[in-house]
């Protein structure tokens, strides 16, 4: 059965290569690069074609125009496959492209050209493929955020950092360290969790992940030590939070290396030694935070004491009744209580109309009360 699956996979790869060979030539497509990508992402889980992978990296370093061919070929390859082998090899290949550190290429790859967030292998039953599915999804989640992070960093360095103030630069560096710590958390989640995952391809992928974890944690530690004296004065609370996180991640990384060593990952045989963060600097930052908190409390108490008399005065003013004001005119003194008088009323009062006297008696009819009906 395994032999039949390998034969079918080899036929699929052969068909893809023939399609590239007979495809229409254009300025934006590189047939040699597409063929190298197909070889590097073959269906064979017992072999990783590093020679063709390095050919892809050489094409990318040679010209940024080859990025279009890479994106087109990889997205087409991944979107038309349901094999965890092809998906994982595509992720490893793209990971290597990001590690090439070509600014013109990395700056353009803000997001991966495919989506494997809900990947499910379609060539095996779920009871056998669930571990591989989770592995591919975790690897994709890391690379998806990592590519965006690298692109943002390159575009930020292209901007005018010199125009920023020193405090703003420190805040940017602290944010960058926090993003690196988030990436390391995601990276440590990539691990084989099923019993049937001890395969050559998984071990090769874990080698890449272990190297990347060392790289990212080393950048975290070196960045903290570099900006520690300045960051402790600019934002001591955030700096101390980052230091505690880095210490915790160092312990998690040691546990991760022990797991990888037991699984058989070659790059995890020796645990690297990182530069430790000076304890004196940490104590100084804690002291700064305590002093800042005490100053803030004193300012808050002083503010409350100053606001108390103002509130009392405002309460007394609210209870006072407004005094009546007199408005003096040419003929009359009109008070506010008499606002309903108008000029016509005053004239009528001064010149009353003549009385009309008639000889006829005036009868006023009053209704009689009903005293009988109950």
């Amino acid at each position: 059965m395994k032999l039949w699956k390998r034969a079918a996979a080899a036929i699929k790869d052969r068909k893809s290569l023939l399609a590239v060979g007979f495809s229409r030539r254009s300025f934006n497509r590189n047939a040699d690069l597409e063929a190298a990508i197909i070889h590097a992402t073959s269906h064979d889980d017992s072999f990783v074609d590093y020679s063709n992978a390095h050919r892809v990296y050489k094409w990318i370093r040679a010209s940024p125009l080859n990025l279009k061919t890479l994106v087109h070929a990889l997205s087409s390859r991944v979107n038309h496959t349901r094999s965890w082998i092809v998906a994982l090899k595509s992720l490893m290949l793209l990971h290597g492209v990001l590690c090439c550190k070509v600014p013109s290429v990395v700056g353009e790859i803000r997001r991966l050209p495919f989506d494997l967030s809900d990947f499910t292998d379609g060539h095996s039953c779920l009871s056998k493929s669930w571990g591989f599915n989770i592995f591919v999804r975790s690897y994709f989640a890391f690379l998806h955020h990592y590519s965006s992070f690298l692109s943002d960093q390159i575009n930020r360095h292209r901007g005018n950092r010199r125009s920023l103030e020193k405090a703003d630069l420190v805040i940017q560096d602290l944010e960058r360290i926090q993003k690196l710590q988030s990436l390391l958390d995601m990276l440590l989640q990539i691990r084989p969790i099923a019993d049937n995952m001890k395969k050559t391809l998984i071990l090769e992928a874990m080698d890449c992940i272990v190297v990347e974890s060392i790289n990212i944690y080393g950048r975290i530690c070196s960045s903290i030590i570099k900006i520690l004296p300045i960051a402790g004065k600019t934002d001591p609370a955030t700096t101390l939070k980052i230091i505690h996180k880095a210490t915790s991640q160092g312990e998690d990384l040691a546990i991760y290396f022990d797991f990888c060593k037991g699984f058989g990952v070659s790059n995890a045989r020796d645990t690297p030694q990182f530069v430790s963060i000076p304890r004196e600097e940490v104590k100084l930052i804690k002291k700064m935070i305590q002093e800042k908190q005490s100053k803030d409390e004193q300012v808050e108490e002083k503010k409350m004491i100053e606001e108390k008399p103002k509130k009392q005065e405002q309460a007394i003013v609210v209870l006072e009744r407004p005094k009546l004001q007199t408005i003096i005119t040419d003929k009359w003194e009109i008070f506010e209580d008499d606002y309903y008088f108008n000029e016509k009323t005053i004239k009528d009062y001064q010149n009353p109309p003549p009385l009309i006297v008639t000889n006829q008696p005036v009868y006023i009819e009053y209704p009689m009360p009903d005293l009988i009906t109950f």
Side-chain angles (χ1 to χ4, degrees), residues 319-336:
L319 293 175
E320 288 182 355
R321 293 181 62 186
K323 296 179 180 180
L324 297 176
Q325 297 180 359
T326 304
I327 302 172
I328 302 174
T329 64
D330 296 336
K331 295 181 180 181
W332 294 89
E333 291 182 2
I334 301 174
F335 295 90
E336 289 182 354

Side-chain angles (χ1 to χ4, degrees), residues 216-330:
I216 291 180
Y217 189 68
R219 290 168 65 183
I220 291 170
C221 294
S222 60
S223 299
I224 290 174
I225 294 171
K226 183 179 179 181
I227 68 167
L228 192 57
I230 305 173
K233 298 177 182 178
T234 305
D235 194 348
T238 305
T239 306
L240 188 62
K241 182 179 177 181
I242 288 173
I243 291 172
H244 288 323
K245 178 73 173 177
T247 305
S248 175
Q249 285 186 326
E251 298 172 357
D252 295 339
L253 189 61
I255 296 172
Y256 188 77
F257 265 75
D258 290 338
F259 169 80
C260 293
K261 190 186 298 183
F263 191 75
V265 180
S266 58
N267 287 334
R269 292 173 184 172
D270 299 324
T271 304
Q273 297 293 328
F274 297 100
V275 180
S276 60
I277 300 170
R279 294 183 179 179
E280 295 180 357
E281 295 287 346
V282 178
K283 290 180 181 179
L284 182 61
I285 292 172
K286 288 182 179 179
K287 188 177 179 182
M288 288 179 181
I289 294 173
Q290 292 174 356
E291 292 177 354
K292 189 174 183 302
Q293 288 177 349
S294 61
K295 286 182 181 179
D296 292 341
E297 289 176 358
Q298 292 176 2
V299 170
E300 191 67 27
E301 289 177 0
K302 188 177 179 182
K303 198 186 222 180
M304 290 175 65
I305 292 170
E306 291 177 353
E307 287 180 354
K308 276 184 180 179
K310 292 181 180 180
K311 290 181 179 179
Q312 291 177 357
E313 291 176 3
Q314 289 176 358
I316 293 170
V317 170
V318 169
L319 293 175
E320 288 182 355
R321 293 181 62 186
K323 296 179 180 180
L324 297 176
Q325 297 180 359
T326 304
I327 302 172
I328 302 174
T329 64
D330 296 336

Side-chain angles (χ1 to χ4, degrees), residues 51-244:
S51 61
N52 276 290
H54 286 295
R55 287 182 62 194
V56 174
Y57 304 150
K58 287 180 181 179
W59 280 110
I60 294 300
R61 291 192 188 99
S63 173
L65 297 175
N66 291 318
L67 179 62
K68 291 183 179 180
T69 302
L70 174 72
V71 170
H72 171 75
L74 272 181
S75 59
S76 177
R77 186 105 170 121
V78 172
N79 292 330
H80 290 85
T81 188
R82 298 179 63 191
S83 170
W84 70 267
I85 302 169
V86 176
L88 183 55
K89 284 186 175 182
S90 299
L91 291 172
M92 293 171 64
L93 184 65
L94 195 55
H95 193 179
V97 171
L98 294 176
C99 292
C100 289
K101 298 180 180 179
V102 180
S104 56
V105 173
V106 178
E108 294 295 328
I109 306 178
R110 288 193 55 85
R111 296 181 180 178
L112 300 191
F114 46 79
D115 185 9
L116 295 174
S117 58
D118 57 348
F119 174 81
T120 301
D121 184 83
H123 300 284
S124 301
C125 58
L126 188 60
S127 60
K128 294 181 179 180
S129 64
W130 66 272
F132 300 102
N133 297 336
I134 294 174
F135 193 90
V136 169
R137 293 173 192 172
S138 301
Y139 201 175
F140 168 79
F142 164 73
L143 285 180
H144 181 70
H145 289 84
Y146 189 46
S147 61
S148 178
F149 169 78
L150 293 177
S151 178
D152 290 340
Q153 293 301 309
I154 290 173
N155 293 327
R156 182 173 293 178
H157 281 287
R158 286 174 180 172
N160 192 4
R161 280 174 58 91
R162 296 179 181 178
S163 61
L164 296 176
E165 296 181 359
K166 198 171 186 180
D168 296 332
L169 291 174
V170 171
I171 291 172
Q172 279 190 1
D173 290 336
L174 290 175
E175 291 177 353
R176 183 176 62 85
I177 295 173
Q178 288 179 321
K179 289 179 180 179
L180 284 172
Q181 289 178 331
S182 298
L183 288 171
L184 184 59
D185 285 337
M186 299 177 70
L187 198 60
L188 297 181
Q189 298 299 319
I190 307 172
R191 62 177 68 193
I193 56 177
D195 296 333
N196 61 337
M197 295 184 66
K198 199 165 186 178
K199 296 182 177 293
T200 302
L201 181 56
I202 295 294
L203 290 172
E204 295 291 337
M206 289 299 295
D207 273 333
C208 299
I209 292 163
V210 165
V211 172
E212 191 64 74
S213 65
I214 296 171
N215 178 32
I216 291 180
Y217 189 68
R219 290 168 65 183
I220 291 170
C221 294
S222 60
S223 299
I224 290 174
I225 294 171
K226 183 179 179 181
I227 68 167
L228 192 57
I230 305 173
K233 298 177 182 178
T234 305
D235 194 348
T238 305
T239 306
L240 188 62
K241 182 179 177 181
I242 288 173
I243 291 172
H244 288 323

